[in-house]
Amino acid sequence: MSTEVTASAEPGTGDTDRGVASVIERCRAEGRAALVGYLPVGFPDVETSIRAMVAMVESGVDIVEIGLPYSDPVIDGPVIQRATEAALRAGTHVVDGFRAARAVRDAGAPPLVMSYWNLILRRGVDRYAAELAAAGGAGLITPDLIPDEAADWIAASDREGLDRVFLVAPSSTPERLSRVTAASRGFVYAASTMGVTGERASVGPAARDLVERTRALTELPVCVGLGVSNGDQAAELAEYADGVIVGTAFVRALTGDGQDGDVEARLEAVRELARDLARGVRERRQS
Amino acid sequence: MTAGRFGDFGGRYVPEALIPALDELDEARRSAMADPTFLDELDRLHRTYTGRPSIITEVPRFAEHAGGARIILKREDLNHTGSHKINNVLAQALLTKRMGKTRVIAETGAGQHGVATATAAALMGLDCTVYMGKVDTERQALNVARMRMLGAEVVPVDHGSATLKDAINEALRDWVAAVDTTHYLIGTVTGPHPFPEMVRDFHRIIGVEAREQVLEHTGRLPDVVVACVGGGSNAMGIFHRFIEDEGVRLVGVEAGGEGLEGRHAARFASATPGVLHGAMSYLMQDEDGQTVESHSVSAGLDYPSVGPEHSYLRDTGRAEYVYATDDEAMEAFALLCRTEGIIPALESAHGLAGALHLGRELGPDAIILVNLSGRGDKDMHTAAEWFGLVDDVVEDDEIVPPGESDDPGATGDGRTQL
Ligand SMILES: Cc1ncc(COP(=O)(O)O)c(C=O)c1O
C-alpha cells in the first residue's frame, strides 16, 4: 500500500512522503491505531487554533485534520457548527488553512485539510491542490464530494502527490464501497454512524461492521470517525480500526466552559484530551 | 460527468451516506412514472383533492398597463393549499409510501411548502417534521400554526442565518440520521440528483395544461411564458412543455430585492457557478466560496442559489432571466389586486412585474402567459405594512398591527387574515 502511494506521488516533487501512509504504517508497526485530531482553523482565532493544533501534535496526535469553516456545514453537529460560525465571524479565510498546514507539518505531523467542496471549487481545484502541497499539506478530506464527482480533484491530487480521503458510511452498499475505496488514497474514512459530527455515549456496532466490509475490499487503512470523545472509546475502536478520528471533543475542549476564560487553560484541556486519546489508541480493548 | 447533469450543472454533492437513498429514490421515481397505478392515483388526487386542472384567466384590465398585450394567468393559486407546491408534494408523498417509508421531512421559507407537506402527510398518514429558519417562524407565525394544526412538528432553526438555507442544512442533517424511515421531501427543483429532474416532472402538468388551454383560448401558442424563479419549480413546471416550441420565449423573473446595489436574490445577474445543497448551479458566494445571504420581500424567492436546470437553460440561451425589485413586485401586486380582484402571492407578483415589462416591449399583438404560482393571503401582513393599510402601523417596523384597528380595510393583524 505504501508503495502505491509513493509511486503515484509525482517524481521530482522531492517529497514522496507527503501523505499520511507512512505515519499510519509506523503506528501499525507499533501495534496501535493512529490518532487523528480535528480542529477548525480560526476558532477562536487563527493564532490560537494553530497553537491548539501544534499542542495536539505535541501531546500524541499523529495526524491533524484542519477544518475549513464553511457557511453551510451540513455534516456537522452543533458544537462544530458554533465553532466554525465563530471562526467565520472572526474573519477566517480559506488561505488560513495553509498557515495551519505549515505549522502542523513543522510540528512533525501530516496535515489533512477537511473542507466542504465549494471552498475548493471556488479557489480552483488545481490551484488549491498546488497551494496545499506547497504549504506542506498531506491531502484533503472531502465530506460532501463523492468520487463520482471528483474527476478534477483525482487528477490534481495525483499530480501533487496529495492524499484524497473519501468517506464510507453504514449505509454504503458493496458497489459504493468499491467505488470509494478505489478512488481513495491515504486512508478511507469510515463514518461510525448515520449522522452528523458530535460526541456520542457509545460508538455502535455499525462501525465495526463497516470497517470489516471496507477492509475486505482494500489494502488501504480504514480510520473511524464520528462520535469518539475519550480514551476508552478510542481503545475500543483501536481494537479493529487503523485510526481513530476525534473532532467534537477537541472543539469542546478548546471552547472551554464559558465565553472568555483563559486560553492557556483551554490549550491545556486540548493537551489533556490528546494524551488520554493517545493512551486509548495504544490500549486496544475488547468492546 | 455523472447522471443528473444539465450540461455542467446539477450532480450530487452530498455525503456518501446519502447516496444509497438517492439511488433508491431515483429507482422508485422511474418505476413509478412508468406504473399506471401510480399515475392513476396521482391523477385522481390532482382532480379530486388539488382541484386540477387549474383554470386560465385572461386579465385585460391588468394588461392595459402592459402595453395592451394580452396577458393570461395560469391559476396555480386556486390549488388546494394555495400554490403550485402541492403538485410536487402529493407526488413525493405517494413515492414515500411506495418506498415503504413512514416519515417525511421538509424545509420551508415562507411556509407554503411546509404547509403543503404537512397537508399531504395528514392525508396519507405520514409523520412530518418541517424545518424552518427561526427568523421565518417569527415572520410567518400563522403558517407555523397551520402546519402544527395539520399535525406536523415544526422545528425552528436558529443557527447560521436562521433562514431557508439553514433550514435545508438542518433537514439534510436529519435525513442522514434517519434515512431508513424518512424521505426528504424537497420543495423545489434544487438539491442532488434526482430531485431537480423529479420535481420538475411533478410540476410539468402546469405547462401541459396551460399549453392546451392557451391554444384553445387564443388559437395559438403564447409569445412568452413568464414565471417567478426562487428555486425554480413553478417556472420549470410551466416552461418544460414549451421547450421544444422554439418560437415561445421563456422568461424567468428573479427577486431583485433592493436592486443590484443592495441586497437581492438576482442570482443570474450577479452570481457565478458553485455548489450548494448538493447541486452545482449559479450561486451567490464570496471570494472564498462562502454562501452570501440573499434578500427579497418575498420569502419564497429568498434563496442564494437556483435549480441547476435553470442555469443550463440560461447558459444555452433557451430561457432568459430578468429580475424585479421589491418595489416593482409590490407595484404589480397592488395592480393585479385593484384591476382584477386577484391577490397574488408576492413571489408570483415578480412574474407579473416581468409581464408588465414584456408587454410594453412587445405591444398589443403579443400573448403573454404568466404562471400565477400562488395566492397572496399569506402575504397580507407584509402588504399591510408596505402599503400602510393599517392606521396604527407605527414608524418602527418591528411593530405588528394590533387587533383593534378601526380601519375597515384591515381587521387586525394582517397575519390573522390567512
Ligand atoms: C407561491 C410561490 N411561488 C413561487 C415560489 C418559489 O419557488 P419556486 O421557484 O420553486 O417555484 C414559492 C416558494 O415558496 C411560492 O410559495
Side-chain angles (χ1 to χ4, degrees), chain B residues 103-393:
Chain B
R103 175 174 177 258
V104 288
I105 56 174
E107 81 293 344
T108 197
Q112 289 306 97
H113 175 58
V115 167
T117 304
T119 299
L123 177 69
M124 298 189 200
L126 298 164
D127 293 332
C128 178
T129 302
V130 178
Y131 291 96
M132 191 168 183
K134 186 145 193 303
V135 172
D136 293 330
T137 60
E138 286 158 10
R139 286 197 289 210
Q140 307 284 338
L142 203 73
N143 266 348
V144 174
R146 284 172 87 190
M147 289 183 265
R148 289 186 173 146
M149 205 64 230
L150 290 160
E153 179 193 13
V154 179
V155 180
V157 176
D158 67 356
H159 33 249
S161 56
T163 60
L164 179 61
K165 82 176 178 67
D166 307 281
I168 296 176
N169 293 340
E170 203 55 30
L172 284 166
R173 293 183 187 112
D174 178 322
W175 201 31
V176 174
V179 70
D180 276 352
T181 59
T182 299
H183 174 61
Y184 180 11
L185 210 160
I186 293 185
T188 185
V189 287
T190 53
H193 175 69
F195 282 103
E197 215 174 88
M198 179 180 76
V199 174
R200 175 201 71 200
D201 289 345
F202 291 155
H203 280 304
R204 190 171 185 275
I205 191 166
I206 303 171
V208 169
E209 287 175 3
R211 189 173 181 280
E212 282 296 302
Q213 290 166 322
V214 171
L215 273 176
E216 189 178 324
H217 178 68
T218 68
R220 68 177 183 90
L221 291 174
D223 298 290
V224 194
V225 178
V226 185
C228 66
V229 183
S233 65
N234 87 89
M236 276 319 305
I238 199 163
F239 286 176
H240 200 254
R241 180 62 185 85
F242 290 96
I243 285 180
E244 309 107 74
D245 297 322
E246 280 171 22
V248 178
R249 280 172 71 186
L250 307 176
V251 178
V253 185
E254 299 184 279
E258 302 163 346
L260 295 190
E261 301 301 305
R263 301 175 304 153
H264 61 81
R267 289 87 26 125
F268 288 126
S270 65
T272 49
V275 164
L276 180 67
H277 297 142
M280 167 88 74
S281 194
Y282 279 79
L283 170 66
M284 294 169 64
Q285 55 183 328
D286 70 12
E287 285 295 302
D288 264 3
Q290 309 289 355
T291 307
V292 168
E293 280 170 41
S294 54
H295 167 80
S296 168
V297 68
S298 138
L301 304 184
D302 195 347
Y303 182 64
S305 187
V306 59
E309 192 167 7
H310 284 292
S311 293
Y312 176 71
L313 291 177
R314 188 250 198 186
D315 279 10
T316 56
R318 180 62 190 95
E320 309 151 51
Y321 295 84
V322 297
Y323 62 88
T325 61
D326 288 351
D327 287 337
E328 290 167 327
M330 293 309 292
E331 201 178 302
F333 172 89
L335 192 61
L336 192 72
C337 293
R338 306 272 161 91
T339 56
E340 301 285 348
I342 297 172
I343 301 179
L346 290 183
E347 290 79 14
S348 320
H350 287 72
L352 293 166
L356 290 173
H357 275 288
L358 283 160
R360 289 168 201 150
E361 177 192 319
L362 298 174
D365 295 331
I367 298 177
I368 300 174
L369 171 65
V370 184
N371 198 9
L372 199 76
S373 57
R375 65 175 186 234
D377 310 44
K378 70 183 174 63
D379 299 315
M380 281 303 102
H381 178 62
T382 307
E385 285 192 346
W386 187 281
F387 294 110
L389 301 182
V390 186
D391 284 347
D392 45 6
V393 169

Side-chain angles (χ1 to χ4, degrees), chain B residues 73-94:
Chain B
L73 306 183
K74 177 63 172 166
R75 299 293 304 280
E76 293 297 300
D77 61 317
L78 298 178
N79 295 339
H80 180 43
T81 71
S83 80
H84 71 291
K85 297 281 179 189
I86 193 81
N87 302 324
N88 164 51
V89 163
L90 288 174
Q92 284 200 53
L94 281 180

